[in-house]
Amino acid sequence: MDALRGIGFDLDHTLAIDNNLERVCFLRLLRSVASRGGRSLGTLADEIDSVDRLLARQRSGEVTVDEAVRLFAAERGLMSGDWFVDSFRKMAVESVADFVVPLPGVERTMEELEKRGILVAVLTNGWDPLQKRKAEQAGFRGPVLVCSELGERKPATIAFERLLRALGTEARQTCYVGDSPRDDVAGAQNAGLAAVWIDWEGREYPNDLPPPTNTIHSLAELLTIVPQCVRVS
Ligand SMILES: [Mg+2]
């Protein structure tokens, strides 16, 4: 690898956790389902299962967030989901301050990287403006590329190419830091970047994937593996 010039970061479970923000917002909409003449799916456990299935489909890229909200309404007998889409989006963005907790050391790590002349950006799956608001709440002040805006999502190589374009760096001068072995580590490596796996949750790395370039257990540890760099003008 050439001298490191840029670092891309995943957002969720890399810079911050959101404490099931989207699940809670869906469940809060259940009251509106009832008041608008919709039906219950059964117990609260049944409702949670259905919401979690929709969120899994959204996170895999199978459906957009708006489609997930419309399906949520349709499953409960409400065929016009527009009101629910608007309400969900607004509630999610407004809930960020209460739900999102940064991982320790985000601001200090970014300041130190800046001192070392390393460019940073976030590349995150998920939807805008939720992800941008979450990055702000996490204390990240650099560019934030959200896959719903790009029209590409990790682990596709083209998503990482968009990151390189935003950073203005070559793949061989860039590394990507993320918690997902498949979306972050394998995706970045397939695009020619070095990949740092952040494992602060003590997980096993899947043995069917090539290992990450480095593994760290906290953001602060990133500073110990990033070489001091000459500021690039
Ligand atoms: Mg993540």
Side-chain angles (χ1 to χ4, degrees):
M1 185 176 174
D2 290 16
L4 186 74
R5 288 189 57 195
I7 303 182
F9 290 90
D10 168 51
L11 178 55
D12 291 294
H13 282 245
T14 295
L15 298 182
I17 57 168
D18 74 5
N19 291 296
N20 285 320
L21 180 157
E22 288 173 285
R23 178 208 260 181
V24 172
C25 291
F26 268 120
L27 296 176
R28 283 182 177 158
L29 286 178
L30 290 174
R31 202 186 292 179
S32 303
V33 168
S35 68
R36 286 169 177 264
R39 61 170 178 266
S40 158
L41 298 186
T43 65
L44 183 57
D46 297 328
E47 299 283 8
I48 290 172
D49 282 348
S50 111
V51 163
D52 285 351
R53 278 196 298 274
L54 282 176
L55 285 169
R57 291 175 68 187
Q58 184 232 321
R59 287 184 186 133
S60 73
E62 185 193 334
V63 296
T64 65
V65 63
D66 292 2
E67 287 164 348
V69 180
R70 284 180 207 288
L71 285 166
F72 168 88
E75 281 174 351
R76 290 158 183 81
L78 297 164
M79 296 324 287
S80 171
D82 291 351
W83 182 88
F84 285 92
V85 170
D86 293 345
S87 300
F88 180 85
R89 281 178 162 269
K90 186 165 181 288
M91 194 194 320
V93 173
E94 287 175 356
S95 300
V96 165
D98 290 331
F99 280 75
V100 172
V101 177
L103 261 71
V106 172
E107 289 184 55
R108 201 185 79 75
T109 302
M110 298 306 155
E111 281 167 17
E112 184 59 31
L113 291 173
E114 190 184 353
K115 277 189 208 157
R116 297 184 192 185
I118 294 171
L119 303 162
V120 296
V122 160
L123 171 66
T124 171
N125 285 348
W127 55 279
D128 186 44
L130 178 64
Q131 295 304 93
K132 285 188 178 161
R133 179 70 193 92
K134 280 159 73 170
E136 181 189 29
Q137 183 71 20
F140 185 83
R141 303 285 171 254
V144 178
L145 282 73
V146 184
C147 290
S148 67
E149 276 185 306
L150 297 180
E152 310 292 344
R153 35 182 302 118
K154 300 177 293 183
T157 292
I158 193 160
F160 291 93
E161 288 170 351
R162 298 290 292 271
L163 170 70
L164 295 174
R165 204 185 306 165
L167 286 168
T169 59
E170 304 284 332
R172 63 179 188 281
Q173 306 168 315
T174 312
C175 83
Y176 189 75
V177 182
D179 69 298
S180 165
R182 202 165 298 276
D183 289 351
D184 300 329
V185 175
Q189 288 177 327
N190 287 336
L193 288 73
V196 176
W197 184 46
I198 181 163
D199 174 37
W200 57 275
E201 295 166 286
R203 294 184 301 167
E204 292 269 310
Y205 199 84
N207 53 21
D208 62 336
L209 290 174
T213 318
N214 293 93
T215 298
I216 57 175
H217 301 94
S218 68
L219 273 178
E221 205 181 331
L222 181 64
L223 297 172
T224 68
I225 63 166
V226 169
Q228 300 281 340
C229 289
V230 178
R231 179 173 282 280
V232 179
S233 57

